Amino acid sequence: MHIPKFWAPARRQVNKPDGRGLDLSAWGWSDRDLDEARRMAETRLQNVLTRVLNGAPLPRGNSYGYGERPLREEIVDSYPGAQDMLACVTRNRYGSLVLNAATILFIDVDLPESPPPKHGLLGGLIGRKAPPADARAERRALLRAALTQLAPTSFVLYDTAAGFRALALNRAYAPESSEVAAIMRAVGADAQFAALCKRQASFRARLTPKPWRMRVPLPPGDFPRAGAVSADFARWLSGYDRAASGFATCQFVEQIGAGAPLPEFAPLIGLHDEATRARTMLPLA
């Protein structure tokens, strides 16, 4: 799993060749300690500085999860295995908890959504309409058929607000393998989700709702937070948790295949179902 424990920034003000001032920053990361993260940050900042002084364009911004660096997420909890880390729970950039599993194959499949109203990003996300029930039923049937073809692996199938989630019960998978890439394509998994799982060397499953689906604002600041921003985030988190208690992240639909969970998977699948409120009839968010 490639989910760093430590993060540190490096920042510098420089003048471009044309005389204009520029604020540069870079992040470093480490699984060992904060000092190693700081050294990486300085090295990465120096690389950016060299580009600027040579007149080259700045690297493009690192969009969520799909740039050249790993995700900068707080590790909230971890679950060691016999040899390596079996899983960890992180908090993503918009405040939701995410289960990251080394070998439990999670698959997210999204349905097409109607275009959002033109009244701002957050309002647009809230305003997106769910696909018609018949479209969901048709797509679920296709996904069920595709998962059945992967027997003897058994799957649990869930509904999500945006589509579906499946998890493999009785076989471990390698996130970086060509086999997993082929499975993701075959079932119509979101391409960016599949790419992130491969690069992070773990499978991701969001455990708690997206804030805008509950009409909760985005959290203040970015991880790692400090000072006043940290206090603001604590207040935001209290409100987010209160709102999340009335929603589910996914809902159990069925098990495909008769296989029982691998013993090492069972606690994490239980954690997933409890945290997502998958066995309730709460509205999805």
Side-chain angles (χ1 to χ4, degrees):
M1 296 176 64
H2 190 203
I3 304 175
K5 297 178 182 177
F6 302 95
W7 288 88
R11 299 183 174 92
R12 196 172 305 171
Q13 292 183 328
V14 300
N15 290 324
K16 296 178 68 175
D18 60 10
R20 289 183 297 170
L22 192 63
D23 292 327
L24 298 179
S25 65
W27 284 89
W29 57 88
S30 170
D31 282 326
R32 183 180 304 168
D33 55 42
L34 198 55
D35 286 340
E36 185 176 68
R38 291 189 181 110
R39 290 193 295 271
M40 175 186 278
E42 290 293 341
T43 298
R44 297 183 75 237
L45 181 61
Q46 186 59 48
N47 292 338
V48 174
L49 178 60
T50 300
R51 289 176 60 94
V52 170
L53 295 180
N54 288 336
L58 285 171
R60 296 184 63 184
N62 187 47
S63 60
Y64 174 54
Y66 311 117
E68 52 85 22
R69 73 183 183 205
L71 292 183
R72 194 169 80 242
E73 295 183 345
E74 175 189 7
I75 298 177
V76 177
D77 209 346
S78 58
Y79 302 88
Q83 295 180 339
D84 299 314
M85 187 65 66
L86 185 61
C88 69
V89 174
T90 59
R91 190 174 299 279
N92 68 16
R93 67 182 176 93
Y94 50 80
S96 299
L97 293 177
V98 178
L99 176 62
N100 305 267
T103 56
I104 302 177
L105 173 59
F106 285 98
I107 306 172
D108 276 356
V109 178
D110 290 342
L111 284 164
E113 295 177 309
S114 60
K118 296 180 180 179
H119 50 248
L121 174 61
L122 185 57
L125 288 168
I126 292 172
R128 288 181 184 272
K129 296 180 180 179
D134 56 348
R136 177 178 285 274
E138 180 180 354
R139 185 64 185 88
R140 188 192 293 120
L142 292 173
L143 178 56
R144 182 186 298 112
L147 294 173
T148 300
Q149 294 299 312
L150 297 173
T153 303
S154 296
F155 289 86
V156 177
L157 181 61
Y158 304 86
D159 278 345
T160 66
F164 310 97
R165 173 177 297 170
L167 70 83
L169 283 173
N170 57 341
R171 186 196 150 181
Y173 285 88
E176 299 166 285
S177 67
S178 57
E179 178 187 26
V180 164
I183 290 172
M184 293 281 192
R185 288 192 300 269
V187 301
D190 177 77
Q192 291 184 326
F193 168 81
L196 176 56
C197 290
K198 179 178 180 179
R199 187 171 58 257
Q200 189 177 269
S202 61
F203 300 105
R204 288 173 66 85
R206 181 170 52 84
L207 298 177
T208 59
K210 293 182 176 181
W212 57 84
R213 289 179 177 158
M214 306 183 296
R215 299 189 180 274
V216 171
L218 296 176
D222 295 311
F223 175 78
R225 300 172 178 89
V229 176
S230 181
D232 289 343
F233 177 77
R235 286 189 289 271
W236 175 90
L237 183 58
S238 178
Y240 170 83
D241 286 342
R242 284 196 302 272
S245 65
F247 292 88
T249 307
C250 63
Q251 288 176 343
F252 173 84
V253 175
E254 63 180 318
Q255 179 172 328
I256 300 169
L262 293 179
E264 62 269 31
F265 285 6
L268 291 175
I269 294 173
L271 165 70
H272 169 273
D273 284 5
E274 181 178 0
T276 60
R277 299 182 173 89
R279 304 287 176 151
T280 72
M281 297 302 294
L282 291 170
L284 292 168

